[in-house]
């Protein structure tokens, strides 16, 4: 099977079985989404959704957040990972939105990357989710799933993964494909024990083929299988 054929099979399966996939973060506007995505770095969406209702009530707009302090914000997000750093970034983010972008979240990657707390993954999430632009955010789930299935060839960095996925996935599907891969990695192709027995992608998955070969007595180099 060629890589192009594998992509088509995988995308067709997702279109048929997961068309309605979307972010699991709770938000009502672009500002709230940006706050939630910043908080979600190395933290579960479930945890973020637990802290954001009170956070959004206390800081409903960038204007309110900007005149606050990291210490005040910290009290609302202290159950998230790295709360001290994230509190500083959230206040810095709000100030940047006011000083440079009229209080609005910008919709281009170069501007987004100038905002405190926003790296390439967060910027791409905003492009894909808030603005429905062709972008491929690569988090740990996307990175793992793409390598396992064989959509990428043992990419070493998120940027390598992003470039290869963007190359093969049609632009009109990119923002949706981001959700497909994340949710598949979160619930089926989990890190330690992927649920291959219930995975609809197994017919085209390189990892599954190697795993099945091993069970059949074929010698496999364990290092060739992504963890």
């Amino acid at each position: 099977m060629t890589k192009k054929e594998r992509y088509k099979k995988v995308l067709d399966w997702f279109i048929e079985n997961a068309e309605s996939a979307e972010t699991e973060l709770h938000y009502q506007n672009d500002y709230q989404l940006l706050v939630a995505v910043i908080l979600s770095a190395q933290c579960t969406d479930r945890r973020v959704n637990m802290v954001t209702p009170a956070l959004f009530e206390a800081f409903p707009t960038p204007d309110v957040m900007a005149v606050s302090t990291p210490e005040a914000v910290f009290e609302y997000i202290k159950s998230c990972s790295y709360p001290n750093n994230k509190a500083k970034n959230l206040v810095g983010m709000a100030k940047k939105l006011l000083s440079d972008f009229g209080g609005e979240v910008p919709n281009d990657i170069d501007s987004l990357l100038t905002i405190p707390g926003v790296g390439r993954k967060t910027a791409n999430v905003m492009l894909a989710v808030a603005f429905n632009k062709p972008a491929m955010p690569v988090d740990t789930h996307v990175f793992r799933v793409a390598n396992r299935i064989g959509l990428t060839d043992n990419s070493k960095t998120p940027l390598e993964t992003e470039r290869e996925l963007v190359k093969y996935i049609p632009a009109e599907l990119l923002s949706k494909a981001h959700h497909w891969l994340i949710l598949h990695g979160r619930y089926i192709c989990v890190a330690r024990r992927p649920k291959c027995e219930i995975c609809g992608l197994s017919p085209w998955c390189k990892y599954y083929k190697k795993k099945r070969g091993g069970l059949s007595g074929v010698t496999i180099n364990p290092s060739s299988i992504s963890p």
Side-chain angles (χ1 to χ4, degrees):
M1 177 180 291
T2 66
K3 178 174 288 191
K4 189 174 182 179
E5 290 170 336
R6 176 173 286 107
Y7 266 89
K8 185 177 188 312
K9 292 290 187 180
V10 169
L11 293 175
D12 285 349
W13 186 88
F14 276 127
I15 289 170
E16 183 175 347
N17 293 279
E19 176 61 25
S20 60
E22 59 186 19
T23 182
E24 293 185 318
L25 292 170
H26 298 165
Y27 69 99
Q28 294 183 338
N29 53 53
D30 297 345
Y31 159 71
Q32 288 189 357
L33 178 60
L34 181 55
V35 170
V37 178
I38 289 173
L39 289 175
S40 72
Q42 295 182 286
C43 187
T44 66
D45 287 2
R46 180 174 177 272
R47 171 58 57 184
V48 172
N49 290 336
M50 290 173 65
V51 305
T52 48
L55 181 68
F56 293 153
E57 184 176 357
F59 308 100
T61 65
D63 308 66
V64 178
M65 179 81 78
V67 297
S68 183
T69 64
E71 291 76 19
V73 174
F74 172 87
E75 292 303 315
Y76 292 88
I77 67 169
K78 57 187 176 184
S79 64
C80 289
S81 58
Y82 307 104
N84 286 297
N85 193 47
K86 288 178 180 178
K88 292 176 184 177
N89 283 335
L90 288 177
V91 174
M93 171 272 293
K95 290 180 177 179
K96 185 73 171 180
L97 292 185
L98 292 179
S99 65
D100 289 18
F101 306 111
E104 301 293 327
V105 179
N107 62 3
D108 67 278
I109 193 165
D110 291 334
S111 295
L112 285 165
L113 289 174
T114 68
I115 298 173
V118 176
R120 188 172 184 86
K121 187 208 79 173
T122 297
N124 276 329
V125 170
M126 294 305 299
L127 294 177
V129 178
F131 305 112
N132 198 31
K133 290 191 173 186
M136 174 52 68
V138 176
D139 70 351
T140 183
H141 298 300
V142 173
F143 185 80
R144 178 179 69 253
V145 171
N147 266 327
R148 276 185 175 167
I149 294 173
L151 300 181
T152 56
D153 297 316
N154 294 315
S155 296
K156 299 298 188 291
T157 66
L159 184 56
E160 286 181 16
T161 296
E162 177 188 337
R163 286 172 173 167
E164 197 155 3
L165 293 173
V166 167
K167 178 180 178 180
Y168 284 94
I169 297 175
E172 65 272 16
L173 291 179
L174 271 175
S175 60
K176 182 76 73 173
H178 154 65
H179 296 306
W180 289 337
L181 293 171
I182 274 190
L183 295 176
H184 196 70
R186 188 172 290 167
Y187 298 111
I188 302 296
C189 194
V190 294
R192 295 194 175 184
R193 293 187 178 181
K195 303 173 184 178
C196 299
E197 68 279 3
I198 62 171
C199 179
L201 299 177
S202 58
W204 315 291
C205 176
K206 282 189 172 183
Y207 175 90
Y208 179 73
K209 183 178 179 181
K210 292 176 181 178
K211 178 180 176 181
R212 187 175 58 180
L215 293 174
S216 301
V218 177
T219 300
I220 300 175
N221 179 3
S223 65
S224 68
I225 301 178
S226 300

